[in-house]
PDB file of all heavy atoms in Angstrom:
ATOM      1  N   LYS A  75     -16.316  14.941 -12.853  1.00 75.00           N
ATOM      2  CA  LYS A  75     -16.817  13.870 -13.704  1.00 75.00           C
ATOM      3  C   LYS A  75     -17.585  12.820 -12.901  1.00 75.00           C
ATOM      4  O   LYS A  75     -17.025  11.810 -12.474  1.00 75.00           O
ATOM      5  CB  LYS A  75     -15.657  13.225 -14.462  1.00 75.00           C
ATOM      6  CG  LYS A  75     -14.994  14.170 -15.459  1.00 75.00           C
ATOM      7  CD  LYS A  75     -13.887  13.464 -16.221  1.00 75.00           C
ATOM      8  CE  LYS A  75     -13.251  14.403 -17.236  1.00 75.00           C
ATOM      9  NZ  LYS A  75     -12.166  13.739 -18.000  1.00 75.00           N
ATOM     10  N   VAL A  76     -18.857  13.065 -12.702  1.00 82.00           N
ATOM     11  CA  VAL A  76     -19.726  12.117 -12.012  1.00 82.00           C
ATOM     12  C   VAL A  76     -20.933  11.850 -12.904  1.00 82.00           C
ATOM     13  O   VAL A  76     -21.626  12.784 -13.328  1.00 82.00           O
ATOM     14  CB  VAL A  76     -20.196  12.666 -10.645  1.00 82.00           C
ATOM     15  CG1 VAL A  76     -21.102  11.650  -9.959  1.00 82.00           C
ATOM     16  CG2 VAL A  76     -18.996  13.008  -9.764  1.00 82.00           C
ATOM     17  N   ASN A  77     -21.173  10.589 -13.199  1.00 79.00           N
ATOM     18  CA  ASN A  77     -22.338  10.220 -14.007  1.00 79.00           C
ATOM     19  C   ASN A  77     -23.594  10.331 -13.150  1.00 79.00           C
ATOM     20  O   ASN A  77     -23.808   9.541 -12.231  1.00 79.00           O
ATOM     21  CB  ASN A  77     -22.172   8.790 -14.527  1.00 79.00           C
ATOM     22  CG  ASN A  77     -23.285   8.399 -15.486  1.00 79.00           C
ATOM     23  OD1 ASN A  77     -24.304   9.086 -15.596  1.00 79.00           O
ATOM     24  ND2 ASN A  77     -23.088   7.298 -16.181  1.00 79.00           N
ATOM     25  N   ARG A  78     -24.437  11.319 -13.462  1.00 84.00           N
ATOM     26  CA  ARG A  78     -25.636  11.579 -12.656  1.00 84.00           C
ATOM     27  C   ARG A  78     -26.904  11.058 -13.321  1.00 84.00           C
ATOM     28  O   ARG A  78     -28.006  11.470 -12.976  1.00 84.00           O
ATOM     29  CB  ARG A  78     -25.757  13.078 -12.374  1.00 84.00           C
ATOM     30  CG  ARG A  78     -24.601  13.605 -11.524  1.00 84.00           C
ATOM     31  CD  ARG A  78     -24.714  15.090 -11.262  1.00 84.00           C
ATOM     32  NE  ARG A  78     -23.620  15.530 -10.408  1.00 84.00           N
ATOM     33  CZ  ARG A  78     -23.661  15.525  -9.077  1.00 84.00           C
ATOM     34  NH1 ARG A  78     -24.738  15.116  -8.454  1.00 84.00           N
ATOM     35  NH2 ARG A  78     -22.623  15.946  -8.363  1.00 84.00           N
ATOM     36  N   ASN A  79     -26.741  10.121 -14.258  1.00 87.00           N
ATOM     37  CA  ASN A  79     -27.930   9.554 -14.898  1.00 87.00           C
ATOM     38  C   ASN A  79     -28.732   8.677 -13.933  1.00 87.00           C
ATOM     39  O   ASN A  79     -29.921   8.444 -14.129  1.00 87.00           O
ATOM     40  CB  ASN A  79     -27.525   8.719 -16.118  1.00 87.00           C
ATOM     41  CG  ASN A  79     -26.946   9.587 -17.223  1.00 87.00           C
ATOM     42  OD1 ASN A  79     -27.291  10.762 -17.340  1.00 87.00           O
ATOM     43  ND2 ASN A  79     -26.044   9.018 -18.010  1.00 87.00           N
ATOM     44  N   LYS A  80     -28.044   8.179 -12.880  1.00 92.00           N
ATOM     45  CA  LYS A  80     -28.712   7.358 -11.874  1.00 92.00           C
ATOM     46  C   LYS A  80     -28.349   7.872 -10.490  1.00 92.00           C
ATOM     47  O   LYS A  80     -27.372   8.610 -10.330  1.00 92.00           O
ATOM     48  CB  LYS A  80     -28.308   5.897 -12.044  1.00 92.00           C
ATOM     49  CG  LYS A  80     -28.822   5.292 -13.365  1.00 92.00           C
ATOM     50  CD  LYS A  80     -28.530   3.816 -13.435  1.00 92.00           C
ATOM     51  CE  LYS A  80     -29.107   3.231 -14.726  1.00 92.00           C
ATOM     52  NZ  LYS A  80     -28.866   1.781 -14.839  1.00 92.00           N
ATOM     53  N   PRO A  81     -29.101   7.482  -9.459  1.00 96.00           N
ATOM     54  CA  PRO A  81     -28.842   7.997  -8.108  1.00 96.00           C
ATOM     55  C   PRO A  81     -27.464   7.619  -7.571  1.00 96.00           C
ATOM     56  O   PRO A  81     -26.930   8.309  -6.710  1.00 96.00           O
ATOM     57  CB  PRO A  81     -29.953   7.365  -7.266  1.00 96.00           C
ATOM     58  CG  PRO A  81     -31.025   6.985  -8.234  1.00 96.00           C
ATOM     59  CD  PRO A  81     -30.323   6.637  -9.510  1.00 96.00           C
ATOM     60  N   CYS A  82     -26.911   6.491  -8.054  1.00 96.00           N
ATOM     61  CA  CYS A  82     -25.643   6.007  -7.512  1.00 96.00           C
ATOM     62  C   CYS A  82     -24.590   5.857  -8.608  1.00 96.00           C
ATOM     63  O   CYS A  82     -24.920   5.794  -9.797  1.00 96.00           O
ATOM     64  CB  CYS A  82     -25.839   4.652  -6.824  1.00 96.00           C
ATOM     65  SG  CYS A  82     -26.908   4.721  -5.361  1.00 96.00           S
ATOM     66  N   THR A  83     -23.337   5.794  -8.203  1.00 95.00           N
ATOM     67  CA  THR A  83     -22.231   5.559  -9.122  1.00 95.00           C
ATOM     68  C   THR A  83     -21.223   4.633  -8.451  1.00 95.00           C
ATOM     69  O   THR A  83     -21.154   4.565  -7.211  1.00 95.00           O
ATOM     70  CB  THR A  83     -21.558   6.889  -9.527  1.00 95.00           C
ATOM     71  OG1 THR A  83     -20.622   6.643 -10.572  1.00 95.00           O
ATOM     72  CG2 THR A  83     -20.828   7.523  -8.349  1.00 95.00           C
ATOM     73  N   VAL A  84     -20.446   3.928  -9.259  1.00 95.00           N
ATOM     74  CA  VAL A  84     -19.481   2.963  -8.727  1.00 95.00           C
ATOM     75  C   VAL A  84     -18.148   3.650  -8.455  1.00 95.00           C
ATOM     76  O   VAL A  84     -17.636   4.414  -9.290  1.00 95.00           O
ATOM     77  CB  VAL A  84     -19.279   1.792  -9.721  1.00 95.00           C
ATOM     78  CG1 VAL A  84     -18.258   0.797  -9.161  1.00 95.00           C
ATOM     79  CG2 VAL A  84     -20.605   1.092  -9.993  1.00 95.00           C
ATOM     80  N   VAL A  85     -17.579   3.372  -7.289  1.00 96.00           N
ATOM     81  CA  VAL A  85     -16.311   3.968  -6.889  1.00 96.00           C
ATOM     82  C   VAL A  85     -15.428   2.898  -6.247  1.00 96.00           C
ATOM     83  O   VAL A  85     -15.882   1.793  -5.951  1.00 96.00           O
ATOM     84  CB  VAL A  85     -16.507   5.135  -5.894  1.00 96.00           C
ATOM     85  CG1 VAL A  85     -17.348   6.243  -6.503  1.00 96.00           C
ATOM     86  CG2 VAL A  85     -17.144   4.628  -4.600  1.00 96.00           C
ATOM     87  N   SER A  86     -14.181   3.254  -6.024  1.00 96.00           N
ATOM     88  CA  SER A  86     -13.254   2.367  -5.309  1.00 96.00           C
ATOM     89  C   SER A  86     -12.536   3.180  -4.234  1.00 96.00           C
ATOM     90  O   SER A  86     -12.524   4.413  -4.272  1.00 96.00           O
ATOM     91  CB  SER A  86     -12.248   1.751  -6.280  1.00 96.00           C
ATOM     92  OG  SER A  86     -11.534   2.753  -6.973  1.00 96.00           O
ATOM     93  N   VAL A  87     -11.939   2.474  -3.290  1.00 96.00           N
ATOM     94  CA  VAL A  87     -11.205   3.130  -2.205  1.00 96.00           C
ATOM     95  C   VAL A  87      -9.730   2.784  -2.321  1.00 96.00           C
ATOM     96  O   VAL A  87      -9.359   1.606  -2.344  1.00 96.00           O
ATOM     97  CB  VAL A  87     -11.747   2.692  -0.826  1.00 96.00           C
ATOM     98  CG1 VAL A  87     -10.922   3.329   0.289  1.00 96.00           C
ATOM     99  CG2 VAL A  87     -13.204   3.079  -0.683  1.00 96.00           C
ATOM    100  N   LYS A  88      -8.897   3.812  -2.403  1.00 93.00           N
ATOM    101  CA  LYS A  88      -7.455   3.601  -2.585  1.00 93.00           C
ATOM    102  C   LYS A  88      -6.616   4.135  -1.430  1.00 93.00           C
ATOM    103  O   LYS A  88      -5.455   3.752  -1.285  1.00 93.00           O
ATOM    104  CB  LYS A  88      -7.002   4.265  -3.885  1.00 93.00           C
ATOM    105  CG  LYS A  88      -7.685   3.707  -5.133  1.00 93.00           C
ATOM    106  CD  LYS A  88      -7.235   4.436  -6.388  1.00 93.00           C
ATOM    107  CE  LYS A  88      -7.928   3.891  -7.622  1.00 93.00           C
ATOM    108  NZ  LYS A  88      -7.525   4.621  -8.858  1.00 93.00           N
ATOM    109  N   VAL A  89      -7.174   5.061  -0.632  1.00 91.00           N
ATOM    110  CA  VAL A  89      -6.387   5.677   0.436  1.00 91.00           C
ATOM    111  C   VAL A  89      -7.198   5.764   1.721  1.00 91.00           C
ATOM    112  O   VAL A  89      -8.432   5.716   1.710  1.00 91.00           O
ATOM    113  CB  VAL A  89      -5.908   7.094   0.051  1.00 91.00           C
ATOM    114  CG1 VAL A  89      -4.992   7.038  -1.150  1.00 91.00           C
ATOM    115  CG2 VAL A  89      -7.087   8.015  -0.207  1.00 91.00           C
ATOM    116  N   GLN A  90      -6.477   5.900   2.825  1.00 89.00           N
ATOM    117  CA  GLN A  90      -7.094   6.129   4.118  1.00 89.00           C
ATOM    118  C   GLN A  90      -7.514   7.595   4.241  1.00 89.00           C
ATOM    119  O   GLN A  90      -6.833   8.478   3.709  1.00 89.00           O
ATOM    120  CB  GLN A  90      -6.102   5.820   5.245  1.00 89.00           C
ATOM    121  CG  GLN A  90      -5.978   4.348   5.591  1.00 89.00           C
ATOM    122  CD  GLN A  90      -7.235   3.812   6.230  1.00 89.00           C
ATOM    123  OE1 GLN A  90      -7.899   2.935   5.679  1.00 89.00           O
ATOM    124  NE2 GLN A  90      -7.572   4.314   7.381  1.00 89.00           N
ATOM    125  N   PRO A  91      -8.606   7.876   4.949  1.00 90.00           N
ATOM    126  CA  PRO A  91      -8.971   9.274   5.181  1.00 90.00           C
ATOM    127  C   PRO A  91      -8.031   9.919   6.185  1.00 90.00           C
ATOM    128  O   PRO A  91      -7.385   9.227   6.979  1.00 90.00           O
ATOM    129  CB  PRO A  91     -10.396   9.166   5.742  1.00 90.00           C
ATOM    130  CG  PRO A  91     -10.458   7.815   6.371  1.00 90.00           C
ATOM    131  CD  PRO A  91      -9.578   6.930   5.525  1.00 90.00           C
ATOM    132  N   GLU A  92      -7.928  11.227   6.138  1.00 83.00           N
ATOM    133  CA  GLU A  92      -7.123  11.971   7.112  1.00 83.00           C
ATOM    134  C   GLU A  92      -7.974  12.262   8.335  1.00 83.00           C
ATOM    135  O   GLU A  92      -8.998  12.937   8.235  1.00 83.00           O
ATOM    136  CB  GLU A  92      -6.643  13.289   6.512  1.00 83.00           C
ATOM    137  CG  GLU A  92      -5.709  13.140   5.343  1.00 83.00           C
ATOM    138  CD  GLU A  92      -5.256  14.492   4.827  1.00 83.00           C
ATOM    139  OE1 GLU A  92      -4.611  15.243   5.592  1.00 83.00           O
ATOM    140  OE2 GLU A  92      -5.572  14.815   3.674  1.00 83.00           O
ATOM    141  N   GLY A  93      -7.569  11.733   9.478  1.00 76.00           N
ATOM    142  CA  GLY A  93      -8.290  12.001  10.715  1.00 76.00           C
ATOM    143  C   GLY A  93      -9.754  11.648  10.626  1.00 76.00           C
ATOM    144  O   GLY A  93     -10.127  10.519  10.275  1.00 76.00           O
ATOM    145  N   ASP A  94     -10.608  12.613  10.940  1.00 80.00           N
ATOM    146  CA  ASP A  94     -12.052  12.393  10.933  1.00 80.00           C
ATOM    147  C   ASP A  94     -12.716  12.861   9.644  1.00 80.00           C
ATOM    148  O   ASP A  94     -13.934  12.997   9.593  1.00 80.00           O
ATOM    149  CB  ASP A  94     -12.695  13.121  12.130  1.00 80.00           C
ATOM    150  CG  ASP A  94     -12.219  12.550  13.461  1.00 80.00           C
ATOM    151  OD1 ASP A  94     -11.954  11.335  13.506  1.00 80.00           O
ATOM    152  OD2 ASP A  94     -12.102  13.320  14.437  1.00 80.00           O
ATOM    153  N   LYS A  95     -11.916  13.127   8.616  1.00 87.00           N
ATOM    154  CA  LYS A  95     -12.484  13.598   7.357  1.00 87.00           C
ATOM    155  C   LYS A  95     -13.249  12.479   6.656  1.00 87.00           C
ATOM    156  O   LYS A  95     -13.090  11.297   6.960  1.00 87.00           O
ATOM    157  CB  LYS A  95     -11.377  14.123   6.437  1.00 87.00           C
ATOM    158  CG  LYS A  95     -10.715  15.398   6.946  1.00 87.00           C
ATOM    159  CD  LYS A  95      -9.677  15.897   5.960  1.00 87.00           C
ATOM    160  CE  LYS A  95      -9.025  17.187   6.452  1.00 87.00           C
ATOM    161  NZ  LYS A  95      -7.997  17.675   5.504  1.00 87.00           N
TER     162      LYS A  95
END
Side-chain angles (χ1 to χ4, degrees):
K75 294 182 179 180
V76 180
N77 186 347
R78 296 179 178 272
N79 293 332
K80 294 186 177 181
C82 295
T83 189
V84 179
V85 300
S86 57
V87 177
K88 299 178 181 178
V89 297
Q90 279 292 116
E92 296 181 62
D94 296 327
K95 292 183 179 179

